[in-house]
Amino acid sequence: MIHDTRERLIGIGELARRSGVPVRTIRFYCDEGVLAARRSTGGHRMFEPVSALERLLLVRRLRAVGVGLAAIIEVVDGRRSVEDAVLGERRVVEAELAALTWRQAALTAVADAPPGERARRLELVAVVRDRGRATDTVVRFWRRVLEPLTPEMFDAFVDMNVPEPIDPTSAELLAFAELVNAVGDPGLYQAVSRQLWRADQERITHRRALLDGVAWACAAAGPQVVANRPPGPGPELDQFVDVHARARGESDSPGFRRRLLSGAIDSDELVLRYWSLTAEVTGALTTGAAQQWLHGALERSVGGGPE
């Protein structure tokens, strides 16, 4: 015996009664492709009661936690799981909250400024209005300085030394803005390059090996910096000097150490300020702090400074 399937269908009013969803909302879902309906001979929307009710309740629950309509359509069509849709919406909310936190820090920095400082702070926070672009500016600066590094080595340096504030205080946001401003100063590029390659960089034949060796020497000096030990001779300094010597085809000697120190600008104000700002934002040890410690150790190893 063949049954008329229309006997099993319900109208939009009955579906609204069973689900608690208003008729106008059900019509909207039908028009948007969320809910499938058939048409009666009179042109009225008709629904298969079990599947329509299940789908409508799922849609209502997903909407209640803020999942967007496009994602909901993918879920009810089987192209996306509920878990994935909810996690995707959570990521959106987290990004929105981060943006609001950033905006709050910027507004607080300006609102709390003394009257004579307010205009300068307005200029600073404008520099970092787009957090991603501001971070990219700092990364590009270091890419120029550290051009010989492999991508893996460069990424490791960036992870440690390029701040990417997520939930900054107003003070941290201002420090980050100053940092972004600083990398636009040609003087900083020259000073950092001079600190890295020293005075006779034209004699360096193995630039990548030098960068790699300096990185290891800075890592070795890190615990000394963290422990607040004064700079002095030791294996950390020996490694630092050795990589510089080998990069120039020389060997460690008192004379080489004096030449390595000669013309050094590790105490340049631009360099010191840059690394101070970096530490303020990251709250962690920086390569700059380790290199400054090694510079002090080099000074002591040759008797207080260059001849």
Side-chain angles (χ1 to χ4, degrees), residues 39-54:
R39 291 286 181 174
S40 69
T41 54
H44 299 293
R45 288 185 172 97
M46 305 297 292
F47 303 88
E48 200 288 318
V50 176
S51 62
L53 184 59
E54 288 178 351

Side-chain angles (χ1 to χ4, degrees), residues 95-164:
E96 291 173 348
L97 287 174
L100 285 173
T101 300
W102 189 268
R103 184 181 176 195
Q104 182 185 39
L107 291 170
T108 301
V110 176
D112 292 350
E117 173 74 3
R118 194 158 293 150
R120 189 184 78 89
R121 290 196 181 183
L122 273 171
E123 291 181 5
L124 280 175
V125 298
V127 169
V128 293
R129 180 177 56 184
D130 185 326
R131 184 182 64 193
R133 184 176 298 177
T135 301
D136 288 346
T137 298
V138 182
V139 172
R140 285 196 301 272
F141 169 83
W142 282 109
R143 199 179 297 281
R144 288 177 60 210
V145 175
L146 303 174
E147 185 273 332
L149 282 183
T150 64
E152 295 77 14
M153 292 169 62
F154 180 76
D155 289 344
F157 175 88
V158 168
D159 287 343
M160 179 178 177
N161 294 285
V162 176
E164 192 170 6

Side-chain angles (χ1 to χ4, degrees), residues 39 68 95 100 111 131 157 211 233 238 243 270 273 283-284:
R39 291 286 181 174
L100 285 173
R131 184 182 64 193
F157 175 88
L211 289 176
D238 292 343
V243 297
L270 288 175
R273 180 60 176 162

Side-chain angles (χ1 to χ4, degrees), residues 15-210:
L15 182 59
R17 186 188 68 78
R18 295 188 187 186
S19 66
V21 178
V23 168
R24 65 178 180 276
T25 303
I26 296 175
R27 288 199 187 102
F28 171 74
Y29 288 152
C30 289
D31 293 340
E32 294 298 319
V34 177
L35 195 62
R38 303 179 188 180
R39 291 286 181 174
S40 69
T41 54
H44 299 293
R45 288 185 172 97
M46 305 297 292
F47 303 88
E48 200 288 318
V50 176
S51 62
L53 184 59
E54 288 178 351
R55 179 173 286 212
L56 197 53
L57 292 176
L58 174 60
V59 171
R60 186 171 68 175
R61 290 162 185 159
L62 289 172
R63 291 294 287 168
V65 295
V67 177
L69 195 58
I72 288 175
I73 292 174
E74 292 179 345
V75 170
V76 297
D77 286 350
R79 291 176 286 150
R80 192 174 187 182
S81 69
V82 171
E83 180 184 14
D84 184 63
V86 172
L87 288 175
E89 190 62 35
R90 188 179 72 176
R91 287 191 290 268
V92 170
V93 172
E94 288 170 348
E96 291 173 348
L97 287 174
L100 285 173
T101 300
W102 189 268
R103 184 181 176 195
Q104 182 185 39
L107 291 170
T108 301
V110 176
D112 292 350
E117 173 74 3
R118 194 158 293 150
R120 189 184 78 89
R121 290 196 181 183
L122 273 171
E123 291 181 5
L124 280 175
V125 298
V127 169
V128 293
R129 180 177 56 184
D130 185 326
R131 184 182 64 193
R133 184 176 298 177
T135 301
D136 288 346
T137 298
V138 182
V139 172
R140 285 196 301 272
F141 169 83
W142 282 109
R143 199 179 297 281
R144 288 177 60 210
V145 175
L146 303 174
E147 185 273 332
L149 282 183
T150 64
E152 295 77 14
M153 292 169 62
F154 180 76
D155 289 344
F157 175 88
V158 168
D159 287 343
M160 179 178 177
N161 294 285
V162 176
E164 192 170 6
I166 302 299
D167 187 14
T169 64
S170 58
E172 289 167 346
L173 185 138
L174 287 172
F176 181 58
E178 283 195 50
L179 195 70
V180 176
N181 258 350
V183 298
D185 184 344
L188 178 64
Y189 174 79
Q190 295 166 6
V192 169
S193 296
R194 180 71 173 271
Q195 180 190 35
L196 180 61
W197 306 113
R198 321 308 283 187
D200 58 346
Q201 60 178 296
E202 70 282 350
R203 298 183 58 227
I204 299 172
T205 56
H206 305 289
R207 297 169 74 87
R208 181 180 295 179
L210 173 59

Side-chain angles (χ1 to χ4, degrees), residues 196-298:
L196 180 61
W197 306 113
R198 321 308 283 187
D200 58 346
Q201 60 178 296
E202 70 282 350
R203 298 183 58 227
I204 299 172
T205 56
H206 305 289
R207 297 169 74 87
R208 181 180 295 179
L210 173 59
L211 289 176
D212 193 22
V214 168
W216 281 105
C218 287
Q224 306 290 345
V225 179
V226 172
N228 202 29
R229 296 191 181 98
E236 304 86 6
L237 176 61
D238 292 343
Q239 182 177 358
F240 178 74
V241 175
D242 181 61
V243 297
H244 271 284
R246 285 188 288 110
R248 294 165 171 81
E250 296 192 41
S251 57
D252 187 358
S253 69
F256 179 79
R257 291 193 176 205
R258 284 192 293 271
R259 293 199 306 275
L260 190 61
L261 189 61
S262 178
I265 56 169
D266 295 71
S267 298
D268 182 90
E269 288 186 8
L270 288 175
V271 173
L272 293 178
R273 180 60 176 162
Y274 176 87
W275 288 115
S276 173
L277 290 168
T278 301
E280 185 174 346
V281 180
T282 63
L285 174 71
T286 66
T287 295
Q291 189 146 319
Q292 186 68 23
W293 188 93
L294 290 167
H295 171 73
L298 180 61

